[in-house]
Amino acid sequence: MGKQKEYSVPAIERAITILDTLTKRNLTSNKIHQELGIPKTSAFVILNTLEKHHLIEQKKDNTYKLGHRTFQWGMHFYNEIDLVRISRPFIEQLVENTPYTGHLAILTDNLPVYIDKVEGNGFVRFATSIGQQLPLHSSGVGKVLGVSLDEPSILAAIYRYRDTTDDAEEKFRQFKEDVTFIQKNGYSVEDEEMEDGIRCLAVPIYGPNEEILAAISITAISKDLPIVSFSNWAMKAKKAALEISKKLGYLKSDD
């Protein structure tokens, strides 16, 4: 039997190329035409169709970015690989016989969202919930998940959660310092930034291309998570995150 003939639809191929490119950076219609070699008329029609179905969105600077429907598709993919199912045993082990609460979070529209929660054995129960959205700049998981975001995205996220008297530029400066700390140490610290008396450590979970897919954190009242214990608990959390990352296709042996 001869080799089966392969079929291809040029318009779909071009649409996929555009979507793949927009996962890395935002582009204007003209840049898409120039850099991807797609004729202007074809680019216009494809962009309009993708926008109509909310697969892309046009920003105020006329560049296109991925739309919210791609997130819905992405969440379906997450459900298929079952990030929560894979991560939960490791988070349970991390907080077992401790007064800590473990959380699993992903980035949604440049803001962290909890997708799982595991209670330890502590007397205190934190009023966090699955589906809860958090500020990017002051939450432990937000700092970790925001490491790869560009400056406009970070500032936009900060403005969404700042008080009217807050200085967004100062918060951005502090966030960049936090990113430097994360890049050096592999974990983030939330030291009573969201609520007095509450501390949190967070670490990244990586995917097969070394991208940050999610973050896990441990949350505790300050007396149960003293500063002198940060390094030790960060090491334990990173070990758990690494095992989760490996199950998601991450190939490096350490960070």
Side-chain angles (χ1 to χ4, degrees), residues 52 125 130:
K52 173 184 175 183
R125 291 291 183 263
I130 296 173

Side-chain angles (χ1 to χ4, degrees), residues 4-221:
Q4 185 175 1
K5 185 176 180 179
E6 294 184 358
Y7 296 93
S8 177
V9 180
I12 296 178
E13 294 279 1
R14 289 168 175 168
I16 292 171
T17 298
I18 290 172
L19 291 171
D20 279 344
T21 303
L22 294 180
T23 62
K24 304 177 182 69
R25 55 200 172 102
N26 300 335
L27 291 174
T28 62
S29 175
N30 194 46
K31 284 290 186 180
I32 288 172
H33 156 65
Q34 293 175 346
E35 297 187 18
L36 304 184
I38 299 175
K40 282 187 176 181
T41 301
S42 297
F44 176 80
V45 172
I46 293 170
L47 289 171
N48 273 272
T49 302
L50 293 175
E51 189 172 21
K52 173 184 175 183
H53 293 282
H54 306 292
L55 292 170
I56 63 172
E57 298 173 6
Q58 191 169 28
K59 300 173 64 179
K60 291 181 179 179
D61 62 2
N62 292 323
T63 61
Y64 287 92
K65 67 174 184 176
L66 292 181
H68 65 80
R69 195 167 187 181
T70 60
F71 169 71
Q72 293 173 343
W73 288 359
M75 283 304 298
H76 178 72
F77 172 74
Y78 270 122
N79 290 335
E80 286 296 312
I81 63 172
D82 207 345
L83 178 62
V84 171
R85 179 183 59 80
I86 291 171
S87 302
R88 179 171 271 267
F90 297 99
I91 300 175
E92 288 177 337
Q93 185 177 22
L94 181 64
V95 301
E96 185 178 15
N97 297 321
T98 76
Y100 304 153
T101 295
H103 292 99
L104 175 67
I106 60 172
L107 206 61
T108 302
D109 195 19
N110 294 335
L111 291 173
V113 175
Y114 287 145
I115 60 172
D116 199 18
K117 176 181 180 179
V118 180
E119 300 277 9
N121 298 330
F123 176 76
V124 176
R125 291 291 183 263
F126 298 99
T128 53
S129 59
I130 296 173
Q132 180 180 346
Q133 190 179 69
L134 305 163
L136 181 80
H137 62 285
S138 58
S139 64
V141 289
K143 294 174 185 181
V144 167
L145 293 169
V147 164
S148 301
L149 292 180
D150 58 24
E151 181 173 338
S153 298
I154 295 168
L155 282 170
I158 289 173
Y159 271 104
R160 290 173 64 179
Y161 268 90
R162 75 186 187 102
D163 296 329
T164 55
T165 57
D166 285 347
D167 185 343
E169 294 294 336
E170 173 61 23
K171 289 186 179 298
F172 176 75
R173 183 195 64 76
Q174 181 60 54
F175 184 85
K176 296 301 289 184
E177 290 183 5
D178 290 331
V179 167
T180 299
F181 178 88
I182 294 165
Q183 291 171 333
K184 179 180 179 181
N185 298 283
Y187 68 96
S188 71
V189 175
E190 174 197 322
D191 191 2
E192 303 189 22
E193 295 167 57
M194 290 184 59
E195 188 173 347
D196 290 344
I198 304 299
R199 285 182 175 145
C200 174
L201 298 181
V203 297
I205 293 172
Y206 295 97
N209 296 317
E210 300 184 26
E211 74 280 23
I212 297 175
L213 291 181
I216 59 174
S217 66
I218 53 174
T219 302
I221 57 177

